[in-house]
Amino acid sequence: KLDGTDDKSSLGANAILAVSIACCRAAAKSLNIPLYKLIGGLNATTLPVPMMNILNGGAHASNNLDVQEFMIMPIGLPSFSEGLRACAEVFHKLASILKSKNLTVSVGDEGGFAPNLSSDAEAIELILTAVSEAGYKPYEHFVIAIDAASSEWKAEKGYLLPKSKKAYSSTELIEYWRNLCDKYPIFSIEDALDEEDWTGWAELTKVLGKKVQLVGDDLFVT
């Protein structure tokens, strides 16, 4: 209300977020309860399953992958700390696999490895190999999460992936995601379509919404 603009351009989103966090902490202190109980309820006893970004592409890496992030989620571990430990094990196992294939183990802007690979499928298969070699099972202990950041791909007509130069209509890109999800243990896809592709998001939700968590970062936030 104090900002007074539709797009938070007066105070700015960062300042508003900081004040919001401060108010949240103040509310918890005034009630004499931990912050997590204020957010999650008085009976809160669990933390969210982490997503660890272990392979990078898109605008955050200088390799040939168009998808921005490939992440792992330790769904089959008993606690956040055990899940985090298992993620670290898979991360280091992936490094060993990349080295054995003479692929670079330099990292992208967000900390994941950024090798040149032939496809998204190869990236996922390398991750699943790392999961197995670390002593865990895909589907049972780990699933995959993807942040496509496909607003970066928006073209005059449909989508054009800047690195691979592949072109898709909205329907074709949805079908691509469907095929990938049918083949691999993908639990979550973020920004699968452009933030202004309203018709496409409705169709994507019909096709994958009951099977996969659809996250709209650019759609809802940016």
Side-chain angles (χ1 to χ4, degrees):
K1 186 176 180 181
L2 181 65
D3 178 88
T5 65
D6 291 335
D7 60 357
K8 300 179 175 63
S9 59
S10 178
L11 294 177
N14 287 342
I16 292 171
L17 177 61
V19 172
S20 177
I21 292 170
C23 287
C24 196
R25 289 190 61 84
K29 284 183 175 296
S30 71
L31 294 170
N32 198 32
I33 59 174
L35 180 61
Y36 75 88
K37 285 189 180 292
L38 180 76
I39 295 171
L42 292 177
N43 296 317
T45 56
T46 58
L47 286 167
V49 175
M51 294 181 179
M52 182 178 280
N53 176 12
I54 63 173
L55 266 179
N56 282 179
H60 289 180
S62 57
N63 61 353
N64 63 350
L65 291 174
D66 286 292
V67 167
Q68 183 169 284
E69 296 173 11
F70 294 89
M71 296 170 276
I72 49 174
M73 298 180 65
I75 60 165
L77 279 294
S79 65
F80 188 96
S81 58
E82 285 295 294
L84 181 60
R85 178 187 56 76
C87 283
E89 291 171 356
V90 173
F91 180 80
H92 288 290
K93 184 60 68 175
L94 179 59
S96 298
I97 293 169
L98 293 176
K99 287 178 183 176
S100 72
K101 294 179 178 292
N102 294 317
L103 294 168
T104 179
V105 289
S106 60
V107 297
D109 293 347
E110 299 197 349
F113 298 118
N116 285 321
L117 300 173
S118 62
S119 64
D120 297 335
E122 184 184 7
I124 293 170
E125 287 171 4
L126 283 168
I127 290 172
L128 295 179
T129 299
V131 166
S132 298
E133 291 191 8
Y136 302 102
K137 295 179 181 179
Y139 293 98
E140 182 178 338
H141 299 116
F142 278 95
V143 291
I144 303 292
I146 289 172
D147 180 358
S150 63
S151 289
E152 303 275 352
W153 308 345
K154 187 63 177 174
E156 189 173 335
K157 290 185 178 180
Y159 296 84
L160 178 64
L161 280 60
K163 295 181 180 180
S164 67
K165 304 303 180 186
K166 292 178 180 177
Y168 294 96
S169 67
S170 184
T171 300
E172 288 169 342
L173 189 53
I174 291 169
E175 183 65 11
Y176 175 77
W177 295 128
R178 187 186 69 79
N179 288 333
L180 210 61
C181 290
D182 284 345
K183 189 173 182 180
Y184 298 110
I186 296 171
F187 174 81
S188 177
I189 305 179
E190 181 177 339
D191 293 336
L193 297 172
D194 176 64
E195 60 192 355
E196 301 292 342
D197 191 352
W198 305 108
T199 303
W201 272 97
E203 182 61 26
L204 176 71
T205 303
K206 288 180 184 177
V207 172
L208 285 177
K210 291 183 179 180
K211 180 181 179 181
V212 177
Q213 174 177 274
L214 300 174
V215 181
D217 179 18
D218 292 342
L219 179 70
F220 296 126
V221 181
T222 319

